[in-house]
Amino acid sequence: MTTQNANTQVQQTTLGRTGMNVSRIAFGTWQLGGDWGATDEQAAIGAIRHAYDRGINFFDTAQGYGFGASEQLLAKAIDGLPRESVVIATKGGLRPLGGARVERDASAAWIRAGVDDSLRALATEYIDLLQVHWPDPKTPLEETAGALAGLVAAGKVRHVGVSNFDPQQMDEFSRTLPVETLQPPYSLFHRDIEAEVLPYAKSRDIGVLVYGPLAHGLLGGHLRADTRFAPDDWRSHSPDFQGGALTVNLRVV
């Protein structure tokens, strides 16, 4: 790994079969939707602009990250930048149930409504990459893919990917609309995708953008055995961040 100075720009790569040139590091915005606790809006905007100034042009968000909160904050941060200079990835297919509860809903109607909501929240006329957040066991993948094909034809979405899908699900989805990207979890603690998912993606030129590469903070070097998370931070009820498991994980780090 090379050390970068303040003047070094982040390298770019081609995101699989999408053909889009994106920075090899993306700026993920799950933490801006409320699931990680309160957000300092100005600090978040400053971080996004700093990333852009260092050459990061790829920003990943989701309708389900606060159902508009994360997307709207990202829109504020990139306001005034040339639209073609940023690649915006978002996700759809989750429905709020009240409180912190959500359910998977990748039905054609909800996908279409979600894209319209995301376009308004992001203050943009098109989404560079729309990803199905999770496979929905209640909706045929053909229905989801068909709805997204229609959104591509309408110019609302430019490229389509999936998140948390396995190879069999991607195969089924691709019979209607080719999967262009995949967003799976991946870190030194969670390497399951190395067995089948990554080889599958490579063989089909599916661009892979992983989430949780620092194990949601475990690999960041700042957590301690006595670290306590705010009640509205999802890690406060995750087994990986509790008691003996946290102690063992930090020992591994």
Side-chain angles (χ1 to χ4, degrees):
M1 179 178 294
T2 59
T3 302
Q4 295 187 350
N5 59 41
N7 296 317
T8 302
Q9 294 292 295
V10 175
Q11 292 180 353
Q12 290 196 343
T13 189
T14 302
L15 185 61
R17 63 199 305 169
T18 71
M20 294 190 294
N21 292 318
V22 298
S23 49
R24 294 184 68 88
I25 299 174
F27 192 110
T29 63
W30 180 16
Q31 74 278 14
L32 307 184
D35 290 333
W36 298 68
T39 298
D40 182 328
E41 182 172 308
Q42 290 308 308
I45 290 173
I48 291 169
R49 293 302 290 251
H50 180 78
Y52 177 84
D53 290 342
R54 292 296 176 269
I56 291 178
N57 72 336
F58 194 17
F59 298 90
D60 179 72
T61 184
Q63 182 191 22
Y65 297 166
F67 290 92
S70 175
E71 291 175 324
Q72 290 168 13
L73 187 47
L74 177 59
K76 288 182 182 180
I78 64 175
D79 183 40
L81 299 177
R83 178 61 182 87
E84 66 277 7
S85 73
V86 293
V87 176
I88 299 174
T90 191
K91 308 177 198 71
L94 292 182
R95 181 188 289 273
L97 295 177
R101 297 181 305 127
V102 298
E103 69 174 357
R104 303 180 190 183
D105 185 349
S107 64
W110 186 250
I111 286 289
R112 285 193 287 262
V115 165
D116 286 339
D117 287 344
S118 290
L119 288 169
R120 284 190 291 270
L122 289 163
T124 186
E125 295 181 352
Y126 64 91
I127 294 165
D128 296 288
L129 174 62
L130 193 287
Q131 303 153 98
V132 183
H133 210 145
W134 285 88
D136 172 13
K138 303 183 301 298
T139 302
L141 291 172
E142 178 183 6
E143 177 182 336
T144 306
L148 286 166
L151 291 164
V152 171
K156 294 182 177 182
V157 171
R158 292 194 166 178
H159 300 280
V160 172
V162 296
S163 180
N164 301 297
F165 274 48
D166 63 30
Q168 292 71 32
Q169 291 162 334
M170 286 188 278
D171 260 346
E172 185 176 346
F173 189 101
S174 293
R175 294 188 193 115
T176 303
L177 181 68
V179 171
E180 295 182 89
T181 67
L182 169 68
Q183 186 169 162
Y186 187 49
S187 75
L188 290 174
F189 277 105
H190 298 286
R191 299 175 60 176
D192 297 350
I193 65 170
E194 292 177 358
E196 295 183 4
V197 173
L198 288 182
Y200 175 92
K202 183 177 182 180
S203 69
R204 288 158 179 80
D205 196 23
I206 293 173
V208 178
L209 52 153
V210 306
Y211 70 87
L214 294 180
H216 310 300
L218 279 174
L219 296 170
H222 298 289
L223 300 184
R224 306 185 338 171
D226 60 354
T227 296
R228 295 294 176 266
F229 301 96
D232 54 354
D233 185 325
W234 70 271
R235 292 173 296 180
S236 67
H237 47 80
S238 167
D240 286 346
F241 293 89
Q242 304 301 312
L246 177 61
T247 301
V248 170
N249 286 337
L250 292 177
R251 189 176 302 128
V252 172
V253 173

